Amino acid sequence: EKDKPEISKEDLSKKMKQILECADAFDLDGLDELIKELKSVKLPLDFSEIFDKIRINVENVDFKEVRKLVTEWSNI
């Protein structure tokens, strides 16, 4: 965890936009790739709980829930 590079707010926002786009397009491969990228960086503490929920819903192929979580996070 300590060795991971920290992600900037801007980069995190870009990744979340990409996750939303992939969920809208039902692009599971794209979602898997984005989750993998986000796992390789240090996430802000206030985001890690939401990220876990997003990750679980990607694994469960629940595109609707992924979109809901990303949208809720974007509105914070």
Side-chain angles (χ1 to χ4, degrees), residues 10 21 42 47-48 50 61 67 73 75-76:
E10 296 81 30
E21 289 166 6
K42 195 171 170 187
F47 177 71
S48 55
I50 294 171
V61 196
R67 282 198 303 269
W73 177 81
N75 293 332
I76 294 172

Side-chain angles (χ1 to χ4, degrees), residues 15-31:
K15 295 284 179 211
M16 292 300 279
K17 247 181 220 140
Q18 291 173 315
I19 287 175
L20 197 55
E21 289 166 6
C22 287
D24 285 341
F26 303 103
D27 178 2
L28 193 56
D29 290 337
L31 284 169

Side-chain angles (χ1 to χ4, degrees), residues 45-58:
L45 283 176
D46 62 344
F47 177 71
S48 55
E49 193 178 308
I50 294 171
F51 175 67
D52 285 339
K53 290 178 185 174
I54 291 171
R55 184 182 50 76
I56 290 164
N57 282 289
V58 167

